Amino acid sequence: KMAGSSAPWIGSAYLFLQSTCKTIVLPSLYESSQKKPRVFKALKLALADSTGSVNGVDMLKVHCSHPHLIVQLKFCKQENCRRFLQSYREGALQESLQNHLQLSLAMTTVPLEMELKAGSEHLDNMLKDEDRCLECIYREKPDRLRDEEITELEECLESLIVHQSTNNNMAVKDCVSLKSPSLPCPSQGSSLSPQVTFIFQGQQFANRTLTPDDHQKFAKLVSKKWKQVGRSLQKSCRALRDPVIDNLALEYDREGLYEQAYQLLLRFIQSEGKKATVARLIAALEENGLISLAEELLDLHSNEDC
């Protein structure tokens, strides 16, 4: 039957996850190199439960956007998507994920809140209308290939399952050694770390990882040029490759320029970890003639006031 069918049914959605327990912060757990494989395993198993198949739904990317963990999902068959929606609507997915997280993380309980979106549509508001949900998901085609980190985690999980019965400890160690952008391997020493200083307008400045204050200043002051800065950062940041920037513009159009710029830099920081430095942002600002904003980030204006 499949041979005679036309193009395959493909759709995409975002699953937003948040713990209702203040002491459990899912993004922080996922950002930990030790806990990340365990959280991923719980996600993978719960999604398999929801569709009845390990390959029923594909994870393309896991975003850490405090306090949410956001999972980008790809469905390749309508029946798998329908089963997922039923499991989500009935609370079975939520219960399954809570149980798998509890087991993987060795916690007594991991209470969750969930939200499902496809583009600008909040599917939680229309769950009773399954066909409409399917239409929204089908309309949202995946905007990316699977993230390299997800592929690594998948391989690690398969390795863990294969070796579990023979040498569980070694498999776990293999998982923990997965490279994490925010946690460079200590054995590499300083060879991977960014340059210590950089030059701006003839002056030398200490390079540092971008701070929340930098993030807010950028979002507030960059205005309409946020996309141009994004294209400059894109040259050295895989997470900002096309069509990510255009998708951010569409997704946060209603929220305005501040939120669009904020989300752009958030993607950069999440992707690059400690390598998301002020020197890289300053270079992108210089390239687009945003000297005043660069000076603001380096506190040159406040020094002049003194």
Side-chain angles (χ1 to χ4, degrees):
K1 285 183 180 179
M2 287 300 292
S5 64
S6 57
W9 194 98
I10 293 175
S12 180
Y14 286 90
L15 181 63
F16 287 71
L17 305 169
Q18 180 182 357
S19 171
T20 54
C21 176
K22 288 181 181 177
T23 57
I24 300 171
V25 184
L26 291 178
S28 297
L29 290 172
Y30 195 79
E31 285 166 345
S32 157
S33 61
Q34 287 187 317
K35 302 280 175 61
K36 180 178 287 187
R38 300 174 197 176
V39 175
F40 179 80
K41 178 185 175 184
L43 287 168
K44 183 76 178 171
L45 293 174
L47 289 169
D49 289 346
S50 73
T51 59
S53 165
V54 176
N55 301 314
V57 54
D58 193 16
M59 280 187 275
L60 298 183
K61 172 80 177 173
V62 179
H63 304 271
C64 293
S65 179
H66 290 262
H68 292 102
L69 200 63
I70 308 171
V71 187
Q72 186 174 4
L73 304 173
K74 176 186 175 184
F75 299 91
C76 289
K77 290 183 180 178
Q78 186 176 3
E79 55 265 37
N80 286 334
C81 189
R82 197 179 287 277
R83 278 197 288 267
F84 169 85
L85 285 169
Q86 289 166 355
S87 175
Y88 181 85
R89 185 178 65 239
E90 292 161 7
L93 174 62
Q94 183 174 352
E95 188 178 344
S96 173
L97 183 52
Q98 285 176 167
N99 291 339
H100 284 303
L101 283 169
Q102 185 180 329
L103 288 169
S104 293
L105 298 167
M107 291 180 172
T108 51
T109 179
V110 185
L112 293 175
E113 276 184 352
M114 288 185 164
E115 195 177 351
L116 191 62
K117 293 182 183 179
S120 60
E121 299 287 353
H122 290 248
L123 302 187
D124 299 76
N125 301 330
M126 57 177 90
L127 287 173
K128 289 181 181 177
D129 190 345
E130 197 171 280
D131 288 335
R132 189 177 164 206
C133 287
L134 285 166
E135 277 176 30
C136 292
I137 291 171
Y138 179 67
R139 258 200 323 265
E140 288 300 313
K141 300 303 181 193
D143 61 357
R144 61 159 66 240
L145 298 173
R146 185 198 284 188
D147 202 66
E148 283 177 12
E149 185 179 65
I150 295 287
T151 303
E152 286 178 8
L153 287 161
E154 290 267 15
E155 289 168 358
C156 171
L157 185 56
E158 285 171 21
S159 166
L160 182 64
I161 292 165
V162 168
H163 294 107
Q164 207 159 27
S165 57
T166 55
N167 196 342
N168 188 42
N169 289 336
M170 282 303 294
V172 171
K173 283 176 186 172
D174 289 344
C175 266
V176 171
S177 72
L178 279 168
K179 65 173 182 277
S180 168
S182 57
L183 292 160
C185 181
S187 64
Q188 301 286 342
S190 59
S191 62
L192 286 179
S193 54
Q195 74 264 36
V196 179
T197 61
F198 67 100
I199 304 294
F200 173 72
Q201 292 188 338
Q203 293 184 56
Q204 196 169 41
F205 292 90
N207 197 10
R208 53 178 173 75
T209 305
L210 292 169
T211 66
D213 189 46
D214 297 328
H215 197 163
Q216 288 180 351
K217 280 182 182 176
F218 172 80
K220 186 178 175 183
L221 300 171
V222 71
S223 192
K224 292 178 181 178
K225 283 199 169 182
W226 70 269
K227 286 175 84 171
Q228 288 158 263
V229 175
R231 307 241 179 258
S232 295
L233 291 172
Q234 182 187 69
K235 296 169 190 173
S236 63
C237 177
R238 202 172 57 82
L240 295 179
R241 284 187 310 197
D242 290 332
V244 171
I245 294 170
D246 289 333
N247 287 339
L248 284 174
L250 288 170
E251 192 173 346
Y252 295 96
D253 182 49
R254 289 181 189 173
E255 285 87 346
L257 292 172
Y258 175 92
E259 190 61 28
Q260 289 169 329
Y262 187 90
Q263 292 296 328
L264 171 84
L265 203 57
L266 181 64
R267 295 281 196 285
F268 177 66
I269 291 167
Q270 287 175 345
S271 164
E272 300 297 299
K274 287 185 177 178
K275 289 186 267 183
T277 61
V278 69
R280 290 174 71 183
L281 182 55
I282 294 296
L285 294 173
E286 277 193 287
E287 193 174 310
N288 292 285
L290 294 165
I291 304 303
S292 180
L293 175 48
E295 291 172 346
E296 190 72 39
L297 289 176
L298 296 173
D299 285 328
L300 290 180
H301 292 164
S302 58
N303 290 344
E304 287 168 9
D305 294 341
C306 296

